[in-house]
Amino acid sequence: SEWTLYQNETFGYEVKYPQGWTVDADRYEGTSTQIVSPDENVWIITTVVSDSRLTEENGFETVIANIEEGLRQDPRYQVDVFEKQARNTEYLVGGYSTGGSFQETSGKTYHFEEMGILMKEDAGLVYVITIHVPNEKTEEYGFSVSEDIFHTWIQAGCLLWN
């Protein structure tokens, strides 16, 4: 399938997504962008959050613990895996990946995968990408979509991992 590149000039990231999907960069007042499949079943949400604790000593552990705790305490989420990796470079503090299930208040259940890159720059930023696929659509969409999308996100982050 053909891919389109979304570039966020404000926060300096880019992500590939399947051609024909819809981008809504204004949905969350500029801090998040939602990319939706034509049938509105799959959502990709990119978010950038400022967190000055990332510039402090042990900031990564504090912030990552808050992220994991927030997901695990949210009754809509069932977290099956949460992996983190600290990395102390000039710009990078570390990253995480997580996945499991998400249930809307309507009862509809999704498989979700999320990846975050935590940075020291600009007084601490967390770059997050989340993908939601309805459980009944996971075979149709497969996880090649999320693998391809995460691959481009990782490539952008890898420039900073080294």
Side-chain angles (χ1 to χ4, degrees), residues 5 7 17 19 23 33 38 42 57 60 63 71 73 84 93 96 99 101 104 109 115 128 136 138-139 150-151:
L5 185 66
Q7 295 179 308
Y17 63 93
Q19 193 170 22
V23 175
T33 299
V42 181
E57 190 172 334
F60 171 76
V63 172
L71 282 169
Q73 289 185 354
K84 60 186 176 183
V93 181
Y96 73 94
S101 62
E104 286 185 331
T109 305
M115 181 177 294
V128 179
E136 70 273 9
T138 55
E139 190 171 312
F150 282 139
H151 181 72

Side-chain angles (χ1 to χ4, degrees), residues 6 13 44 50 77 82 142:
Y6 168 75
Y13 70 86
I44 303 165
S50 178
Y77 284 92
F82 191 97

Side-chain angles (χ1 to χ4, degrees), residues 43-46 77 112-115 128-132 150:
W43 304 317
I44 303 165
I45 301 171
T46 61
Y77 284 92
F112 86 93
E113 294 182 42
E114 180 172 294
M115 181 177 294
V128 179
I129 186 167
T130 309
I131 301 173
H132 289 87
F150 282 139

Side-chain angles (χ1 to χ4, degrees), residues 63-83:
V63 172
I64 208 77
N66 286 159
I67 292 169
E68 182 176 8
E69 181 181 344
L71 282 169
R72 292 192 186 278
Q73 289 185 354
D74 188 328
R76 300 170 302 164
Y77 284 92
Q78 171 62 48
V79 177
D80 296 335
V81 62
F82 191 97
E83 298 176 352

Side-chain angles (χ1 to χ4, degrees), residues 34-141:
Q34 182 174 342
I35 304 170
V36 182
S37 64
D39 61 7
E40 299 184 354
N41 275 305
V42 181
W43 304 317
I44 303 165
I45 301 171
T46 61
T47 306
V48 180
V49 179
S50 178
D51 195 323
S52 62
R53 296 175 299 173
L54 291 171
T55 63
E56 301 169 1
E57 190 172 334
N58 299 319
F60 171 76
E61 289 301 326
T62 302
V63 172
I64 208 77
N66 286 159
I67 292 169
E68 182 176 8
E69 181 181 344
L71 282 169
R72 292 192 186 278
Q73 289 185 354
D74 188 328
R76 300 170 302 164
Y77 284 92
Q78 171 62 48
V79 177
D80 296 335
V81 62
F82 191 97
E83 298 176 352
K84 60 186 176 183
Q85 181 179 5
R87 186 68 146 232
N88 197 4
T89 69
E90 183 179 353
Y91 302 106
L92 187 67
V93 181
Y96 73 94
S97 62
T98 186
S101 62
F102 170 82
Q103 187 170 20
E104 286 185 331
T105 54
S106 68
K108 189 171 185 174
T109 305
Y110 295 82
H111 174 78
F112 86 93
E113 294 182 42
E114 180 172 294
M115 181 177 294
I117 300 171
L118 289 71
M119 310 290 294
K120 295 178 199 174
E121 70 177 338
D122 295 326
L125 292 174
V126 181
Y127 291 83
V128 179
I129 186 167
T130 309
I131 301 173
H132 289 87
V133 179
N135 285 350
E136 70 273 9
K137 297 285 186 173
T138 55
E139 190 171 312
E140 177 183 336
Y141 281 95

